[in-house]
Each structure stands twice: as C-alpha cells, then as structure tokens.
Amino acid sequence: MKSKAAFFHSLLLLASISVHADVSLVTDGKPVAEIVVADDASPSVRTAADELQRHLQAMSGAKLSIVHHPTKDVANQVFVGQGAVPKELGFSLDGVKADGFRIVAEKNHLILAGNESYNFARSFLKFKAVPRFERQAHWEKLLGKKWRWPPMIDYRDYSEQLGFHSIDGNGTLYAVYDFLEQLGLRWYAPIPDLGIVTPELKDIKAKSQSLTKNPEFPVRNFADTKVGEHLDEFLWYKSMRVGGDRFVPMYHSMSGPSEINPEEQPQEYYGKIGGKIDYHSPRMTNPKLREDMAAYLQKVEEHFPGMDYISIGQPDGWSLIDSDDVAAGWDKLEARGKAGRYSDYAWDFNLDVRNRLMKLYPDKKFTVFAYSRTNRIPSNLPKVPDNMVVGFTQTSAFWMLPDPREQLDRRNEWIAHMNSPDQLYIWEYYLQHASPRNLPPVPVIFPELMKESFAGLYDHCLGFHAEIGWTASNAVKPEGYPNTARPWISHIMLYLHNKLCWDRNLDIRATLDEYYDLFYG
C-alpha cells in the first residue's frame, strides 16, 4: 500500500509527463491562469468557479482570479461553464447525457462544463417563500379543501447560501470536482479539514485531455434532513455528483385527500376492520376515494408545474385492508406472501387513477410504490405499462446479508416485467442502524455486496432516492453540525455508492486501498 507521499508523487509524475498541450495553472506557487465565468452564470456555475478557486488555493497557496472575460496579459484560462467558452474554440456539450460533463485541456485553456438542470426552481419556486409551518394552511386556502400539502420535497435541502437544491443537476460543478480529483483531492466526509485530503502542489497542470463523463443513472438523490443548512455537507454531496436531470416525485400522495382531519373527510374513504373504521386503512375499492385522489393529483400538477411524473403513492405504514375487501379476495397473503399481500389491491387502484388522469395529461408518466406489502409485482400484471415508474424499496440492512436475499430476487421479478430502464426507481434505505432506528451506531462496511446490488441495476434503472441513518431529534447536535457528521458511521459507503452511480467498472479494492491510506494514513 502506498504512503501519502508516494501517492501524491505519482500524481505529480503523471502530470509532469511532457505533453505540449498540458495547461499550466500554477507554477512555483504562483498563478499563471485565471478562471473565466460568464457574468450571467447560474448559481451552481458560480459555485463551481468559487470551488475551483478555493481548492486550488488550498493545494498551492496560489489564488487564481475569477473574471468574466479573458485578460490579455494572463497566459492561460480556465473556462467554467459552457457560457464562458469563446465560440471560436468550438466547444460543445453535444453527446453529454443527463447532467454529465466534459473536460477539455489543450493549448492555453482548460474547459470545465456540463449540463445544468434546475429541478427545484422549475417546479417548486412558487412556494419557496412559504415557511414550513404555514404550508398546510396555505395549501388549504389554495384548494378550498382540507387536503394535505404534498410532502414530496423538503425545502431544508435547498441551499439559500448557494441558490440551488441538492436535487438539481449541476454538470459544471461535477466537472470541477472531477478535475480536482485528477489533481489528488479526495473528499471523504463532510467535516472540514478531517474529511478532505488536499495534496500540496507548487506546480499545477491540467493534463491534455478531452474527457466526457455521463452518469450511469440520470437521477441520484439522497434524503438527508437539513442538508441545505450545512454548507460543507451540501457541497460534499455535490462533490460526489449527487443530483439529476429531472425530479421524480415519489411520496405518500394518498395521504392528500385522506390524512388531514379524517373524521371530517368522506367516511367511505376508509376501511372497516372488525366493524370499526380504521383511518390508517384506505378502502381502495371505493369510487369516491379514486375520484378524489385523481382530483387531488390534478391540483398538485396545477401548482407544481414542469414535472414529467405524477405520483400515485400508497399510505405510509399501511398494514390492513377493509374486512369486506378481504372477504372479496383482495388479501393475497397465502398466495403471494407478506411482500405481495396487497399488490393486486394497490395496483387495481393505481391503474384506475392513472387512467382517469391520462384523460387530462396523456403524455404524463406516473410513479407508484413497491413498498412493504406491495413490494412484489401483482399477480395479474403481464407488463408494467410504459408510462409507469415503480419505486422499489430496498433496505441494505436486509439485502447485504448473504442469506436471505429475497429483496434482490423481488427486484429482478419487477425488471423482468418492464420494457425500459426508466421504469425502475430505487428507494434505498442505507445503513438504518443508527439512532433513531434503535440499533448500534457503528460503521458497517459491505462494498462487494453493494457492487453486486449495483450490477443488477445497470441498464435496468432510472436511479436512486436513498435515505441514510438520520441523526435523532433528541441527539446531541450542536448548531451548524451536519447530519452525516456522526463520527464516520456511513461516509465511506455513501462515497462508494456515488462512485458506482458514475462508474460501473469502479475498482472497489483500489478505491478502498487509497481511502485507507489517505484517510487513516
């Protein structure tokens, strides 16, 4: 295993190979280049320029100027964002997919640019100024009904300081971090100083290259409460290329017409268990519930424009169905087991609501859950309709165990009934072993099994929405302390996850060897 010094020496040796088109940025600790960014650059592109300047200075002590137009007496330019690149250079992002990026280094310039997708601004900006505790009342006033505010996004993931959201696709920022990694930067955890490995370089060159990187999955998101309030944590996720070229809403939307003041809602919404109404058990066979569910989702579509998908989401924590529906044969426990017990029941509802909405939105796509008692494919669905996306829930605490592996088998069952990789979306629960899950908060490392899980998803999956082990509300969490900062519980697995989202050929062993060497020494 190489020492830190040997690792950085090899990087310097590689960078010093005589190639006429290498672009010098720093020579003997002095800047010989400037960073050019368009004066009307978007928030994440401006952040990309700032991050490049910050980390190059940390490496070399040299602070490259950020300008809007090339300066005549500066030898070399780093163009950040496509809008900064002069037309005569002939640079294009053609062929770059989703929120991928391109790096070009030749002659006297380095170009770092990628595709940008501002998913939050497109669909959620209308409600950005509404405080969280006022959202429900605001929504009821808009609709004139006591229906639940759609809990599809948490604004605490938006960075007010930077001006964009963790769900956004920020290809230019990813290009900057990729270039910094070429120089030896490693950002393993969202803790300043401790989590970042920064090489010491007196000379910095961009090696000659024309590199294009596209994500393996167009959507790569995390559920991490308040990440927008912690700058280091937010940028750590972005350094791992978290984001996507679209927003895929997947939430418990059935709570919309049924959860707020259920006693005041139409009582036929709810099932009866043992002769008594159970407000946690919607009666999905009821025509009124189906009609109002479609009406609710129509209102969501009206007020949250620009999304390609409508979410038909089953209730959270749903465990029982109406006694008469059981008698009618909708409970398939004996035939389909716990994971498929209510799949037929839910999909009869899902398809009906979808058909109602398709009359209004024929080009829309729809998301549905394969969650808990609907985790298995329904018995009467030969193929998942082309305009439906299945949010398959899987939990690493289960599938990382060699035996049993039922979750991955159920996932393969869904894949066999799909026509497109854009029809499967993974809702992953990573490392739910820390508080508040009442399990020991200790690191768990399972890289080979993680890679095995990924291997079954390449070319079959739209992407991820991953929940991590959140910090409990009653835990000691000083102001400004990020969510993932519990000392080193899950950071390396999140790092590997995001590497695998961009590179199916990732050498896990080499990546871990480098991590053990550089992080632990």
Side-chain angles (χ1 to χ4, degrees), residues 47 120 128 132 153-168 190 222-238 242 468 470 477 479-484:
T47 298
F120 180 86
K128 179 176 175 293
R132 296 183 76 250
I153 195 166
D154 191 336
Y155 295 153
R156 291 177 294 179
D157 293 344
Y158 180 86
S159 174
E160 295 282 354
Q161 184 173 346
L162 299 178
F164 56 101
H165 197 283
S166 65
I167 67 170
D168 292 337
F222 276 82
D224 183 0
T225 304
K226 297 186 179 181
V227 68
E229 298 178 10
H230 304 291
L231 183 62
D232 287 303
E233 188 172 19
F234 187 92
L235 289 174
W236 178 59
Y237 278 114
K238 287 299 174 182
V242 167
I468 62 172
W470 296 348
K477 184 176 181 181
E479 189 66 28
Y481 207 57
N483 219 27
T484 48

Coordinates of all heavy atoms in Angstrom, one line a residue, residues 47 120 128 132 153-168 190 222-238 242 468 470 477 479-484:
T47 N -20.8 28.8 -8.2 CA -20.3 28.0 -7.1 C -19.1 27.1 -7.7 O -18.1 27.0 -7.0 CB -21.4 27.1 -6.6 OG1 -22.4 27.9 -6.0 CG2 -20.8 26.2 -5.5
F120 N -35.5 22.2 -8.9 CA -36.3 22.9 -7.8 C -36.9 24.2 -8.3 O -38.1 24.4 -8.1 CB -35.3 23.1 -6.6 CG -36.0 23.8 -5.5 CD1 -36.6 23.1 -4.5 CD2 -36.0 25.2 -5.4 CE1 -37.2 23.7 -3.4 CE2 -36.6 25.9 -4.3 CZ -37.2 25.1 -3.3
K128 N -41.4 28.7 -2.4 CA -40.2 28.7 -1.6 C -40.3 29.7 -0.4 O -39.7 29.4 0.6 CB -39.0 29.2 -2.6 CG -37.7 29.4 -1.9 CD -36.6 29.7 -2.9 CE -35.3 30.0 -2.2 NZ -35.4 31.2 -1.4
R132 N -42.3 26.6 6.4 CA -42.7 25.2 6.6 C -44.0 25.1 7.4 O -44.9 24.3 7.1 CB -41.6 24.4 7.1 CG -40.4 24.3 6.2 CD -39.3 23.4 6.8 NE -39.7 22.0 6.6 CZ -40.0 21.1 7.6 NH1 -40.1 21.6 8.8 NH2 -40.3 19.9 7.3
I153 N -41.2 17.0 -1.2 CA -39.9 17.6 -1.1 C -39.8 18.4 0.2 O -40.8 18.9 0.7 CB -39.6 18.5 -2.3 CG1 -38.2 18.8 -2.5 CG2 -40.5 19.7 -2.3 CD1 -37.8 19.5 -3.8
D154 N -38.6 18.4 0.7 CA -38.3 19.2 1.9 C -37.4 20.3 1.6 O -36.3 20.2 1.2 CB -37.7 18.2 3.0 CG -37.7 18.9 4.4 OD1 -37.7 20.1 4.5 OD2 -37.6 18.1 5.3
Y155 N -37.9 21.5 1.8 CA -37.1 22.7 1.4 C -35.8 22.9 2.2 O -35.0 23.7 1.8 CB -38.0 24.0 1.6 CG -39.2 24.0 0.7 CD1 -40.3 24.7 1.1 CD2 -39.2 23.3 -0.5 CE1 -41.5 24.7 0.2 CE2 -40.3 23.4 -1.3 CZ -41.4 24.0 -1.0 OH -42.5 24.1 -1.8
R156 N -35.7 22.1 3.3 CA -34.4 22.3 4.0 C -33.3 21.7 3.3 O -32.1 21.8 3.7 CB -34.6 21.6 5.4 CG -35.6 22.4 6.3 CD -35.8 21.7 7.6 NE -36.5 20.5 7.5 CZ -36.8 19.6 8.5 NH1 -36.4 20.0 9.7 NH2 -37.4 18.5 8.3
D157 N -33.5 21.1 2.1 CA -32.4 20.6 1.3 C -32.0 21.7 0.3 O -31.1 21.4 -0.5 CB -32.9 19.3 0.5 CG -33.1 18.1 1.4 OD1 -32.6 18.2 2.6 OD2 -33.8 17.2 1.0
Y158 N -32.6 22.8 0.3 CA -32.3 23.9 -0.6 C -31.2 24.8 0.1 O -31.4 25.1 1.3 CB -33.5 24.7 -0.9 CG -33.2 25.9 -1.8 CD1 -33.2 25.8 -3.2 CD2 -33.0 27.2 -1.3 CE1 -33.0 26.9 -4.1 CE2 -32.8 28.3 -2.1 CZ -32.8 28.1 -3.5 OH -32.5 29.2 -4.3
S159 N -30.1 25.1 -0.6 CA -29.1 25.9 0.0 C -29.4 27.4 -0.3 O -29.2 27.9 -1.4 CB -27.7 25.6 -0.5 OG -26.8 26.5 -0.1
E160 N -29.9 28.1 0.7 CA -30.1 29.6 0.5 C -28.8 30.3 0.2 O -28.8 31.2 -0.6 CB -30.7 30.2 1.8 CG -32.1 29.6 2.1 CD -33.2 30.3 1.3 OE1 -32.9 31.2 0.5 OE2 -34.4 29.8 1.4
Q161 N -27.7 29.8 0.8 CA -26.4 30.4 0.6 C -25.9 30.3 -0.8 O -25.3 31.3 -1.4 CB -25.4 29.8 1.6 CG -24.0 30.5 1.5 CD -23.1 30.0 2.6 OE1 -23.6 29.3 3.5 NE2 -21.8 30.3 2.5
L162 N -26.2 29.2 -1.5 CA -25.7 28.9 -2.8 C -26.7 29.2 -3.9 O -26.3 29.5 -5.0 CB -25.1 27.5 -2.9 CG -24.0 27.1 -2.0 CD1 -23.6 25.7 -2.2 CD2 -22.8 28.0 -2.2
G163 N -28.0 29.0 -3.6 CA -29.0 29.3 -4.5 C -29.5 28.1 -5.4 O -30.1 28.4 -6.5
F164 N -29.2 26.9 -5.0 CA -29.7 25.8 -5.7 C -29.9 24.6 -4.7 O -29.6 24.7 -3.5 CB -28.8 25.4 -6.9 CG -27.4 25.1 -6.6 CD1 -26.9 23.8 -6.5 CD2 -26.5 26.1 -6.4 CE1 -25.6 23.5 -6.2 CE2 -25.1 25.8 -6.1 CZ -24.7 24.5 -6.0
H165 N -30.5 23.5 -5.2 CA -31.0 22.4 -4.4 C -30.2 21.2 -4.6 O -29.6 21.0 -5.7 CB -32.5 22.2 -4.8 CG -33.2 21.4 -3.7 ND1 -33.1 20.0 -3.6 CD2 -34.1 21.8 -2.8 CE1 -33.9 19.6 -2.6 NE2 -34.6 20.7 -2.1
S166 N -30.2 20.3 -3.7 CA -29.5 19.0 -3.8 C -30.0 18.1 -4.9 O -29.3 17.3 -5.5 CB -29.5 18.2 -2.5 OG -30.8 17.8 -2.1
I167 N -31.3 18.3 -5.3 CA -31.9 17.5 -6.4 C -31.5 18.0 -7.7 O -31.8 17.4 -8.8 CB -33.4 17.4 -6.3 CG1 -34.1 18.8 -6.5 CG2 -33.9 16.8 -5.0 CD1 -35.6 18.7 -6.7
D168 N -30.9 19.2 -7.8 CA -30.6 19.8 -9.1 C -29.4 19.1 -9.8 O -28.6 18.5 -9.1 CB -30.2 21.3 -9.0 CG -31.4 22.1 -8.6 OD1 -32.6 21.7 -8.8 OD2 -31.2 23.2 -8.0
P190 N -18.1 15.0 5.2 CA -18.4 16.4 5.2 C -17.9 17.2 6.5 O -18.7 18.0 7.1 CB -19.9 16.4 5.1 CG -20.3 15.2 5.9 CD -19.2 14.2 5.5
F222 N -30.5 11.9 -2.5 CA -30.5 11.5 -1.1 C -31.5 12.2 -0.3 O -31.7 13.4 -0.5 CB -29.1 11.7 -0.5 CG -28.1 10.6 -0.8 CD1 -27.4 10.6 -2.0 CD2 -27.9 9.6 0.1 CE1 -26.5 9.6 -2.3 CE2 -27.0 8.6 -0.2 CZ -26.3 8.6 -1.4
A223 N -32.1 11.5 0.7 CA -32.9 12.2 1.7 C -32.1 12.4 2.9 O -31.7 11.4 3.6 CB -34.1 11.3 2.0
D224 N -31.7 13.6 3.2 CA -30.8 14.0 4.3 C -31.3 15.3 4.9 O -31.0 16.3 4.4 CB -29.4 14.1 3.8 CG -28.4 14.4 4.8 OD1 -28.8 14.4 6.0 OD2 -27.2 14.5 4.5
T225 N -32.0 15.2 6.0 CA -32.7 16.4 6.6 C -31.7 17.5 6.8 O -30.7 17.4 7.4 CB -33.4 16.0 7.9 OG1 -34.2 14.9 7.7 CG2 -34.1 17.1 8.5
K226 N -32.1 18.7 6.4 CA -31.4 20.0 6.6 C -30.1 20.1 5.9 O -29.3 20.9 6.2 CB -31.3 20.2 8.1 CG -32.5 20.4 8.8 CD -32.3 20.8 10.3 CE -33.6 21.0 11.1 NZ -33.3 21.5 12.4
V227 N -29.8 19.2 4.8 CA -28.5 19.3 4.2 C -28.3 20.7 3.6 O -27.2 21.2 3.5 CB -28.4 18.2 3.1 CG1 -29.4 18.5 1.9 CG2 -27.0 18.1 2.6
G228 N -29.4 21.4 3.2 CA -29.2 22.8 2.7 C -28.7 23.8 3.7 O -28.2 24.8 3.3
E229 N -28.8 23.4 5.0 CA -28.4 24.4 6.0 C -26.9 24.2 6.4 O -26.4 24.9 7.2 CB -29.3 24.2 7.2 CG -30.8 24.5 6.9 CD -31.7 24.3 8.1 OE1 -31.2 24.1 9.2 OE2 -32.9 24.4 8.0
H230 N -26.3 23.2 5.9 CA -24.9 22.8 6.2 C -24.1 22.9 5.0 O -24.1 21.9 4.2 CB -24.8 21.5 6.9 CG -25.7 21.4 8.1 ND1 -25.5 22.1 9.3 CD2 -26.9 20.7 8.3 CE1 -26.5 21.8 10.2 NE2 -27.3 21.0 9.6
L231 N -23.3 23.9 4.8 CA -22.6 24.1 3.5 C -21.6 23.0 3.2 O -21.6 22.5 2.1 CB -21.9 25.5 3.6 CG -21.1 25.9 2.3 CD1 -22.1 26.0 1.1 CD2 -20.3 27.2 2.5
D232 N -20.9 22.6 4.2 CA -19.9 21.5 3.9 C -20.6 20.2 3.5 O -20.1 19.5 2.6 CB -19.0 21.3 5.1 CG -18.0 22.4 5.3 OD1 -17.2 22.7 4.4 OD2 -18.0 23.0 6.4
E233 N -21.7 19.9 4.2 CA -22.4 18.7 3.8 C -23.0 18.8 2.4 O -23.0 17.8 1.6 CB -23.5 18.4 4.9 CG -24.2 17.1 4.7 CD -25.1 16.8 5.9 OE1 -25.5 17.7 6.6 OE2 -25.5 15.6 6.1
F234 N -23.6 19.9 2.1 CA -24.2 20.1 0.8 C -23.2 20.0 -0.3 O -23.4 19.3 -1.3 CB -24.8 21.5 0.8 CG -25.6 21.8 -0.5 CD1 -27.0 21.6 -0.5 CD2 -25.0 22.4 -1.6 CE1 -27.8 21.8 -1.7 CE2 -25.8 22.6 -2.7 CZ -27.1 22.4 -2.8
L235 N -22.0 20.6 -0.1 CA -21.0 20.6 -1.2 C -20.4 19.2 -1.2 O -19.9 18.8 -2.3 CB -20.0 21.7 -0.9 CG -20.4 23.1 -1.2 CD1 -19.4 24.1 -0.8 CD2 -20.8 23.3 -2.7
W236 N -20.3 18.5 -0.1 CA -19.8 17.1 -0.1 C -20.6 16.2 -1.0 O -20.1 15.5 -1.8 CB -19.8 16.6 1.3 CG -19.3 15.1 1.5 CD1 -18.1 14.6 1.1 CD2 -20.0 14.0 2.0 NE1 -18.0 13.3 1.3 CE2 -19.2 12.9 1.9 CE3 -21.3 13.9 2.6 CZ2 -19.6 11.6 2.4 CZ3 -21.7 12.7 3.0 CH2 -20.8 11.5 2.9
Y237 N -22.0 16.3 -0.9 CA -22.8 15.6 -1.7 C -22.6 16.0 -3.2 O -22.5 15.1 -4.1 CB -24.3 15.8 -1.4 CG -24.8 14.9 -0.2 CD1 -25.2 15.5 1.0 CD2 -24.8 13.5 -0.4 CE1 -25.6 14.7 2.0 CE2 -25.3 12.7 0.7 CZ -25.6 13.3 1.9 OH -26.1 12.5 2.9
K238 N -22.5 17.3 -3.5 CA -22.2 17.7 -4.8 C -20.9 17.2 -5.3 O -20.7 16.9 -6.5 CB -22.4 19.2 -4.9 CG -23.8 19.7 -4.9 CD -24.6 19.1 -6.0 CE -26.1 19.4 -5.9 NZ -26.9 18.8 -6.9
V242 N -24.1 14.1 -6.7 CA -25.5 13.9 -6.3 C -26.3 14.9 -7.0 O -26.0 16.1 -7.1 CB -25.7 14.0 -4.8 CG1 -27.1 14.0 -4.4 CG2 -25.0 12.8 -4.1
I468 N -30.6 7.9 4.4 CA -29.5 7.4 5.2 C -29.9 7.5 6.7 O -31.0 7.9 7.0 CB -28.2 8.3 5.0 CG1 -28.5 9.8 5.4 CG2 -27.8 8.3 3.6 CD1 -27.3 10.6 5.5
W470 N -30.5 9.0 9.7 CA -30.6 10.4 10.2 C -30.2 10.5 11.7 O -30.3 9.5 12.4 CB -32.0 10.9 10.0 CG -32.5 11.0 8.6 CD1 -31.7 10.9 7.5 CD2 -33.8 11.2 8.2 NE1 -32.4 11.0 6.4 CE2 -33.7 11.2 6.7 CE3 -35.0 11.4 8.8 CZ2 -34.9 11.5 6.0 CZ3 -36.1 11.6 8.0 CH2 -36.1 11.7 6.6
K477 N -26.7 17.6 19.0 CA -26.3 18.0 17.6 C -26.1 19.5 17.7 O -27.0 20.3 17.6 CB -27.4 17.7 16.7 CG -27.1 18.0 15.2 CD -28.2 17.6 14.3 CE -27.9 17.9 12.8 NZ -29.0 17.5 12.0
E479 N -25.4 23.4 17.0 CA -25.9 24.2 15.9 C -24.8 24.3 14.8 O -23.6 24.4 15.1 CB -26.1 25.7 16.4 CG -26.8 26.6 15.3 CD -28.2 26.1 15.0 OE1 -28.8 25.5 15.9 OE2 -28.6 26.4 13.9
G480 N -25.2 24.0 13.6 CA -24.3 24.1 12.4 C -23.6 22.7 12.2 O -22.7 22.6 11.3
Y481 N -24.0 21.7 13.0 CA -23.3 20.4 12.8 C -24.1 19.6 11.8 O -25.3 19.4 12.0 CB -23.2 19.7 14.2 CG -22.1 18.8 14.3 CD1 -20.8 19.2 14.2 CD2 -22.3 17.4 14.7 CE1 -19.7 18.3 14.3 CE2 -21.3 16.6 14.9 CZ -20.0 17.0 14.7 OH -18.9 16.1 14.8
P482 N -23.4 19.1 10.8 CA -24.2 18.4 9.7 C -24.7 17.1 10.1 O -24.3 16.4 11.1 CB -23.2 18.3 8.6 CG -21.8 18.3 9.3 CD -22.0 19.2 10.4
N483 N -25.7 16.6 9.4 CA -26.5 15.4 9.7 C -25.6 14.2 9.6 O -25.7 13.3 10.4 CB -27.6 15.3 8.7 CG -28.9 14.7 9.3 OD1 -29.1 15.0 10.5 ND2 -29.7 14.1 8.5
T484 N -24.7 14.1 8.7 CA -23.8 12.9 8.5 C -22.5 13.0 9.3 O -21.6 12.2 9.0 CB -23.5 12.8 7.0 OG1 -23.1 14.0 6.5 CG2 -24.7 12.3 6.2

